[in-house]
Structures are given as structure tokens and as C-alpha cells.
Short mmCIF file of all heavy atoms in Angstrom, two decimals:
data_model
loop_
_atom_site.label_atom_id
_atom_site.label_comp_id
_atom_site.label_asym_id
_atom_site.label_seq_id
_atom_site.Cartn_x
_atom_site.Cartn_y
_atom_site.Cartn_z
N CYS A 1 129.39 -31.69 -84.49
CA CYS A 1 130.16 -30.66 -85.26
C CYS A 1 131.55 -31.09 -85.56
O CYS A 1 132.25 -30.46 -86.31
CB CYS A 1 130.09 -29.31 -84.53
SG CYS A 1 130.97 -29.43 -82.95
N ARG A 2 132.03 -32.19 -84.88
CA ARG A 2 133.47 -32.59 -85.08
C ARG A 2 133.46 -34.14 -85.43
O ARG A 2 134.60 -34.68 -85.37
CB ARG A 2 134.16 -32.41 -83.81
CG ARG A 2 134.30 -30.88 -83.48
CD ARG A 2 135.39 -30.61 -82.34
NE ARG A 2 135.53 -29.26 -82.14
CZ ARG A 2 136.34 -28.45 -82.83
NH1 ARG A 2 137.11 -28.98 -83.81
NH2 ARG A 2 136.42 -27.12 -82.52
N SER A 3 132.46 -34.77 -85.81
CA SER A 3 132.59 -36.22 -86.08
C SER A 3 131.47 -36.65 -87.15
O SER A 3 130.51 -36.09 -87.19
CB SER A 3 132.29 -37.04 -84.77
OG SER A 3 131.09 -36.86 -84.29
N ILE A 4 131.92 -37.65 -87.92
CA ILE A 4 131.08 -38.22 -88.97
C ILE A 4 131.21 -39.73 -88.84
O ILE A 4 132.32 -40.28 -88.76
CB ILE A 4 131.51 -37.70 -90.35
CG1 ILE A 4 131.25 -36.16 -90.56
CG2 ILE A 4 130.79 -38.52 -91.51
CD1 ILE A 4 131.73 -35.62 -91.85
N ALA A 5 130.12 -40.50 -89.02
CA ALA A 5 130.14 -41.92 -88.98
C ALA A 5 130.09 -42.42 -90.45
O ALA A 5 129.22 -41.96 -91.18
CB ALA A 5 129.02 -42.49 -88.24
N VAL A 6 131.04 -43.27 -90.83
CA VAL A 6 131.16 -43.81 -92.15
C VAL A 6 130.84 -45.36 -92.06
O VAL A 6 131.46 -46.10 -91.29
CB VAL A 6 132.50 -43.55 -92.86
CG1 VAL A 6 132.51 -44.07 -94.26
CG2 VAL A 6 132.87 -42.11 -92.74
N THR A 7 129.89 -45.77 -92.84
CA THR A 7 129.48 -47.22 -92.77
C THR A 7 129.44 -47.79 -94.25
O THR A 7 129.38 -47.01 -95.22
CB THR A 7 128.15 -47.42 -92.18
OG1 THR A 7 127.15 -46.78 -92.94
CG2 THR A 7 128.16 -46.93 -90.74
N TRP A 8 129.61 -49.12 -94.38
CA TRP A 8 129.53 -49.83 -95.62
C TRP A 8 129.23 -51.23 -95.44
O TRP A 8 129.25 -51.81 -94.39
CB TRP A 8 130.92 -49.67 -96.40
CG TRP A 8 132.03 -50.24 -95.67
CD1 TRP A 8 132.53 -51.50 -95.63
CD2 TRP A 8 132.86 -49.50 -94.67
NE1 TRP A 8 133.61 -51.65 -94.76
CE2 TRP A 8 133.84 -50.43 -94.21
CE3 TRP A 8 132.86 -48.18 -94.21
CZ2 TRP A 8 134.74 -50.05 -93.22
CZ3 TRP A 8 133.79 -47.80 -93.22
CH2 TRP A 8 134.70 -48.82 -92.80
N ARG A 9 128.75 -51.88 -96.55
CA ARG A 9 128.45 -53.31 -96.55
C ARG A 9 129.69 -54.17 -96.68
O ARG A 9 130.65 -53.69 -97.32
CB ARG A 9 127.44 -53.66 -97.65
CG ARG A 9 125.99 -53.41 -97.34
CD ARG A 9 125.11 -53.97 -98.37
NE ARG A 9 123.69 -53.84 -98.00
CZ ARG A 9 122.73 -54.38 -98.68
NH1 ARG A 9 122.96 -55.08 -99.73
NH2 ARG A 9 121.50 -54.14 -98.27
N PRO A 10 129.74 -55.38 -96.04
CA PRO A 10 130.87 -56.27 -96.30
C PRO A 10 131.12 -56.63 -97.72
O PRO A 10 130.22 -56.75 -98.53
CB PRO A 10 130.54 -57.49 -95.43
CG PRO A 10 129.46 -57.07 -94.52
CD PRO A 10 128.68 -55.99 -95.23
N VAL A 11 132.34 -56.78 -98.11
CA VAL A 11 132.74 -57.17 -99.49
C VAL A 11 133.18 -58.64 -99.32
O VAL A 11 134.08 -58.96 -98.65
CB VAL A 11 133.83 -56.36 -100.04
CG1 VAL A 11 134.40 -56.87 -101.32
CG2 VAL A 11 133.44 -54.92 -100.17
N PRO A 12 132.62 -59.55 -100.16
CA PRO A 12 132.97 -60.99 -100.09
C PRO A 12 134.46 -61.14 -100.31
O PRO A 12 134.99 -60.64 -101.31
CB PRO A 12 132.12 -61.63 -101.13
CG PRO A 12 130.92 -60.75 -101.34
CD PRO A 12 131.46 -59.37 -101.11
N GLY A 13 135.13 -61.97 -99.44
CA GLY A 13 136.54 -62.15 -99.59
C GLY A 13 137.48 -61.12 -98.98
O GLY A 13 138.72 -61.37 -98.93
N ALA A 14 136.95 -59.96 -98.64
CA ALA A 14 137.79 -58.89 -98.11
C ALA A 14 138.19 -59.27 -96.69
O ALA A 14 137.32 -59.64 -95.87
CB ALA A 14 137.13 -57.61 -98.17
N ASP A 15 139.50 -59.04 -96.29
CA ASP A 15 139.83 -59.22 -94.88
C ASP A 15 140.21 -57.83 -94.26
O ASP A 15 140.62 -57.86 -93.07
CB ASP A 15 141.06 -60.16 -94.84
CG ASP A 15 142.16 -59.92 -95.86
OD1 ASP A 15 142.43 -58.73 -96.08
OD2 ASP A 15 142.59 -60.86 -96.52
N GLN A 16 140.23 -56.84 -95.04
CA GLN A 16 140.48 -55.44 -94.48
C GLN A 16 139.99 -54.37 -95.49
O GLN A 16 139.75 -54.70 -96.62
CB GLN A 16 141.98 -55.23 -94.32
CG GLN A 16 142.41 -54.05 -93.49
CD GLN A 16 143.99 -53.93 -93.33
OE1 GLN A 16 144.70 -54.16 -94.36
NE2 GLN A 16 144.48 -53.72 -92.14
N TYR A 17 139.80 -53.21 -94.85
CA TYR A 17 139.27 -52.06 -95.62
C TYR A 17 140.15 -50.84 -95.36
O TYR A 17 140.57 -50.54 -94.20
CB TYR A 17 137.84 -51.78 -95.26
CG TYR A 17 136.88 -52.88 -95.46
CD1 TYR A 17 136.58 -53.75 -94.42
CD2 TYR A 17 136.24 -53.20 -96.67
CE1 TYR A 17 135.78 -54.82 -94.57
CE2 TYR A 17 135.45 -54.20 -96.83
CZ TYR A 17 135.13 -55.04 -95.76
OH TYR A 17 134.28 -56.11 -95.94
N ILE A 18 140.44 -50.07 -96.40
CA ILE A 18 141.20 -48.82 -96.39
C ILE A 18 140.22 -47.70 -96.54
O ILE A 18 139.62 -47.60 -97.68
CB ILE A 18 142.40 -48.77 -97.32
CG1 ILE A 18 143.31 -49.99 -97.14
CG2 ILE A 18 143.17 -47.48 -97.24
CD1 ILE A 18 143.98 -50.00 -95.71
N LEU A 19 140.15 -46.73 -95.53
CA LEU A 19 139.24 -45.60 -95.74
C LEU A 19 140.05 -44.36 -95.87
O LEU A 19 141.02 -44.12 -95.08
CB LEU A 19 138.35 -45.46 -94.46
CG LEU A 19 137.30 -44.35 -94.50
CD1 LEU A 19 136.32 -44.66 -95.65
CD2 LEU A 19 136.55 -44.21 -93.15
N SER A 20 139.75 -43.55 -96.94
CA SER A 20 140.51 -42.30 -97.22
C SER A 20 139.50 -41.12 -97.13
O SER A 20 138.30 -41.23 -97.41
CB SER A 20 141.19 -42.41 -98.55
OG SER A 20 142.05 -43.51 -98.68
N ARG A 21 140.08 -39.91 -96.87
CA ARG A 21 139.27 -38.72 -96.73
C ARG A 21 139.87 -37.52 -97.41
O ARG A 21 141.11 -37.46 -97.56
CB ARG A 21 139.16 -38.38 -95.19
CG ARG A 21 138.23 -37.30 -94.87
CD ARG A 21 138.26 -37.00 -93.44
NE ARG A 21 139.59 -36.50 -93.00
CZ ARG A 21 140.10 -36.62 -91.77
NH1 ARG A 21 139.34 -37.15 -90.81
NH2 ARG A 21 141.33 -36.19 -91.44
N SER A 22 139.01 -36.62 -97.84
CA SER A 22 139.46 -35.45 -98.47
C SER A 22 138.38 -34.33 -98.24
O SER A 22 137.21 -34.64 -97.93
CB SER A 22 139.57 -35.58 -100.04
OG SER A 22 139.89 -34.44 -100.66
N VAL A 23 138.76 -33.09 -98.37
CA VAL A 23 137.77 -31.95 -98.35
C VAL A 23 137.39 -31.55 -99.63
O VAL A 23 136.54 -30.56 -99.78
CB VAL A 23 138.45 -30.78 -97.51
CG1 VAL A 23 138.69 -31.14 -96.03
CG2 VAL A 23 139.72 -30.37 -98.17
N LEU A 24 137.91 -32.11 -100.70
CA LEU A 24 137.47 -31.84 -102.15
C LEU A 24 136.91 -33.19 -102.79
O LEU A 24 137.57 -34.21 -102.49
CB LEU A 24 138.64 -31.27 -102.91
CG LEU A 24 139.21 -29.94 -102.40
CD1 LEU A 24 140.43 -29.56 -103.17
CD2 LEU A 24 138.13 -28.82 -102.52
N PRO A 25 136.04 -33.16 -103.56
CA PRO A 25 135.41 -34.33 -104.22
C PRO A 25 136.43 -35.07 -105.01
O PRO A 25 136.49 -36.32 -105.12
CB PRO A 25 134.26 -33.85 -105.01
CG PRO A 25 134.39 -32.43 -105.08
CD PRO A 25 135.20 -31.91 -103.93
N ASP A 26 137.45 -34.30 -105.62
CA ASP A 26 138.40 -35.04 -106.58
C ASP A 26 139.76 -35.15 -105.82
O ASP A 26 140.74 -35.57 -106.45
CB ASP A 26 138.63 -34.18 -107.83
CG ASP A 26 137.43 -34.11 -108.66
OD1 ASP A 26 136.66 -35.07 -108.65
OD2 ASP A 26 137.19 -33.07 -109.32
N GLY A 27 139.76 -34.93 -104.52
CA GLY A 27 141.02 -35.16 -103.78
C GLY A 27 141.91 -33.92 -103.70
O GLY A 27 141.46 -32.89 -104.02
N PRO A 28 143.05 -34.13 -103.15
CA PRO A 28 143.71 -35.48 -102.83
C PRO A 28 143.14 -36.11 -101.60
O PRO A 28 142.65 -35.43 -100.71
CB PRO A 28 145.20 -35.10 -102.68
CG PRO A 28 145.10 -33.71 -102.11
CD PRO A 28 143.96 -33.03 -102.83
N TYR A 29 143.08 -37.45 -101.62
CA TYR A 29 142.61 -38.28 -100.45
C TYR A 29 143.80 -38.83 -99.64
O TYR A 29 144.74 -39.24 -100.24
CB TYR A 29 141.75 -39.40 -100.94
CG TYR A 29 140.41 -39.02 -101.43
CD1 TYR A 29 140.20 -38.54 -102.76
CD2 TYR A 29 139.30 -39.06 -100.60
CE1 TYR A 29 138.95 -38.16 -103.19
CE2 TYR A 29 138.02 -38.73 -101.05
CZ TYR A 29 137.89 -38.22 -102.33
OH TYR A 29 136.62 -37.86 -102.76
N GLN A 30 143.59 -38.78 -98.33
CA GLN A 30 144.54 -39.34 -97.43
C GLN A 30 143.90 -40.49 -96.62
O GLN A 30 142.76 -40.38 -96.15
CB GLN A 30 145.07 -38.25 -96.50
CG GLN A 30 145.87 -37.15 -97.18
CD GLN A 30 146.45 -36.25 -96.08
OE1 GLN A 30 145.97 -36.11 -95.02
NE2 GLN A 30 147.44 -35.43 -96.55
N GLN A 31 144.69 -41.58 -96.42
CA GLN A 31 144.18 -42.70 -95.68
C GLN A 31 143.98 -42.29 -94.29
O GLN A 31 144.93 -41.67 -93.60
CB GLN A 31 145.25 -43.88 -95.73
CG GLN A 31 144.76 -45.12 -94.92
CD GLN A 31 145.73 -46.23 -95.00
OE1 GLN A 31 146.36 -46.37 -96.07
NE2 GLN A 31 145.94 -46.96 -93.98
N ILE A 32 142.91 -42.59 -93.64
CA ILE A 32 142.63 -42.30 -92.19
C ILE A 32 142.38 -43.55 -91.42
O ILE A 32 142.37 -43.52 -90.10
CB ILE A 32 141.44 -41.38 -92.09
CG1 ILE A 32 140.16 -42.00 -92.69
CG2 ILE A 32 141.65 -39.99 -92.79
CD1 ILE A 32 138.85 -41.20 -92.43
N ALA A 33 142.17 -44.76 -92.02
CA ALA A 33 141.88 -45.93 -91.24
C ALA A 33 142.19 -47.16 -92.11
O ALA A 33 141.99 -47.12 -93.31
CB ALA A 33 140.44 -45.98 -90.75
N ALA A 34 142.63 -48.17 -91.48
CA ALA A 34 142.69 -49.56 -92.03
C ALA A 34 142.05 -50.48 -90.97
O ALA A 34 142.53 -50.64 -89.88
CB ALA A 34 144.16 -49.97 -92.23
N THR A 35 140.91 -51.06 -91.28
CA THR A 35 140.09 -51.73 -90.33
C THR A 35 139.47 -52.95 -90.94
O THR A 35 139.31 -52.98 -92.16
CB THR A 35 139.06 -50.80 -89.78
OG1 THR A 35 138.24 -51.55 -88.83
CG2 THR A 35 138.12 -50.21 -90.87
N ALA A 36 139.10 -53.94 -90.12
CA ALA A 36 138.33 -55.11 -90.56
C ALA A 36 136.87 -54.93 -90.32
O ALA A 36 136.08 -55.74 -90.69
CB ALA A 36 138.86 -56.39 -89.90
N GLU A 37 136.49 -53.85 -89.65
CA GLU A 37 135.10 -53.55 -89.34
C GLU A 37 134.44 -52.89 -90.61
O GLU A 37 135.06 -52.54 -91.55
CB GLU A 37 134.98 -52.61 -88.11
CG GLU A 37 135.64 -53.11 -86.89
CD GLU A 37 135.06 -54.37 -86.38
OE1 GLU A 37 133.84 -54.59 -86.57
OE2 GLU A 37 135.88 -55.28 -85.86
N THR A 38 133.04 -52.78 -90.51
CA THR A 38 132.35 -52.07 -91.54
C THR A 38 131.76 -50.75 -91.09
O THR A 38 130.78 -50.37 -91.64
CB THR A 38 131.24 -53.00 -92.12
OG1 THR A 38 130.47 -53.48 -90.96
CG2 THR A 38 131.91 -54.22 -92.70
N ILE A 39 132.39 -50.15 -90.13
CA ILE A 39 131.94 -48.91 -89.57
C ILE A 39 133.17 -48.14 -89.01
O ILE A 39 134.07 -48.73 -88.45
CB ILE A 39 130.89 -49.02 -88.48
CG1 ILE A 39 130.44 -47.63 -88.07
CG2 ILE A 39 131.35 -49.82 -87.32
CD1 ILE A 39 129.18 -47.63 -87.13
N TYR A 40 133.24 -46.84 -89.24
CA TYR A 40 134.40 -46.06 -88.73
C TYR A 40 133.85 -44.70 -88.28
O TYR A 40 133.29 -43.96 -89.06
CB TYR A 40 135.44 -45.92 -89.81
CG TYR A 40 136.59 -45.13 -89.30
CD1 TYR A 40 137.57 -45.73 -88.46
CD2 TYR A 40 136.74 -43.75 -89.62
CE1 TYR A 40 138.61 -45.01 -87.97
CE2 TYR A 40 137.94 -43.01 -89.15
CZ TYR A 40 138.78 -43.66 -88.31
OH TYR A 40 139.92 -42.99 -87.85
N PRO A 41 134.01 -44.34 -87.06
CA PRO A 41 133.74 -43.00 -86.55
C PRO A 41 134.93 -42.02 -86.73
O PRO A 41 135.98 -42.16 -86.16
CB PRO A 41 133.41 -43.21 -85.04
CG PRO A 41 134.28 -44.37 -84.71
CD PRO A 41 134.45 -45.25 -85.90
N ASP A 42 134.72 -41.08 -87.65
CA ASP A 42 135.75 -40.11 -88.00
C ASP A 42 135.63 -38.86 -87.05
O ASP A 42 134.53 -38.20 -87.12
CB ASP A 42 135.63 -39.65 -89.48
CG ASP A 42 136.92 -38.96 -89.93
OD1 ASP A 42 137.89 -38.90 -89.17
OD2 ASP A 42 136.80 -38.31 -91.00
N THR A 43 136.54 -38.63 -86.24
CA THR A 43 136.47 -37.58 -85.25
C THR A 43 137.59 -36.56 -85.37
O THR A 43 138.44 -36.61 -86.23
CB THR A 43 136.58 -38.18 -83.82
OG1 THR A 43 137.87 -38.84 -83.69
CG2 THR A 43 135.46 -39.16 -83.59
N GLY A 44 137.49 -35.51 -84.61
CA GLY A 44 138.41 -34.28 -84.61
C GLY A 44 138.31 -33.53 -85.87
O GLY A 44 139.25 -32.88 -86.31
N LEU A 45 137.12 -33.41 -86.37
CA LEU A 45 136.86 -32.62 -87.62
C LEU A 45 136.48 -31.18 -87.33
O LEU A 45 136.27 -30.77 -86.10
CB LEU A 45 135.76 -33.27 -88.45
CG LEU A 45 135.94 -34.82 -88.83
CD1 LEU A 45 134.81 -35.33 -89.51
CD2 LEU A 45 137.23 -34.98 -89.57
N MET A 46 136.46 -30.42 -88.37
CA MET A 46 136.10 -28.97 -88.24
C MET A 46 134.62 -28.82 -88.42
O MET A 46 133.99 -29.53 -89.21
CB MET A 46 136.82 -28.15 -89.35
CG MET A 46 138.36 -28.09 -89.26
SD MET A 46 138.89 -27.33 -87.70
CE MET A 46 138.30 -25.62 -88.08
N PRO A 47 133.94 -27.94 -87.62
CA PRO A 47 132.47 -27.69 -87.73
C PRO A 47 132.20 -27.18 -89.13
O PRO A 47 132.92 -26.48 -89.72
CB PRO A 47 132.21 -26.67 -86.62
CG PRO A 47 133.37 -26.81 -85.62
CD PRO A 47 134.55 -27.15 -86.54
N ASN A 48 130.91 -27.44 -89.52
CA ASN A 48 130.36 -26.90 -90.70
C ASN A 48 131.28 -27.07 -91.95
O ASN A 48 131.49 -26.17 -92.70
CB ASN A 48 130.03 -25.40 -90.53
CG ASN A 48 129.08 -24.88 -91.56
OD1 ASN A 48 128.24 -25.61 -92.14
ND2 ASN A 48 129.10 -23.55 -91.88
#
């Protein structure tokens, strides 16, 4: 109820990924992570 796992495939040549989040499909989006991994556990969210 408070976490979502976000995953993606590696991009050739990429050394970092910026993940952004919003509660609306058109935004606004805010950056929540800068990582070299291809998975991010987003926690501390609101239920439902």
C-alpha cells in the first residue's frame, strides 16, 4: 500500500538514469532518483 517497484531495460551507452514521478499522467513530474541500476523501489507512498 506504500511502495511501487519500477524496472526498465538497460540503454546502450547510458551511465545513469533519472526517474521522475507524478500523480497525474501529464505531470508535473518531479525527480525521485538518479541511479545506475535498472530497478528502483519507490516507497513512502499513499495507499490506493
Side-chain angles (χ1 to χ4, degrees):
C1 66
R2 294 190 178 276
S3 62
I4 293 175
V6 186
T7 61
W8 57 92
R9 279 193 174 184
V11 175
D15 45 45
Q16 193 179 44
Y17 302 94
I18 302 298
L19 184 65
S20 301
R21 183 185 66 205
S22 175
V23 293
L24 297 173
D26 296 328
Y29 285 84
Q30 292 184 341
Q31 178 179 327
I32 60 172
T35 177
E37 304 297 328
T38 56
I39 183 172
Y40 180 76
D42 192 14
T43 60
L45 305 177
M46 296 295 294
N48 197 26

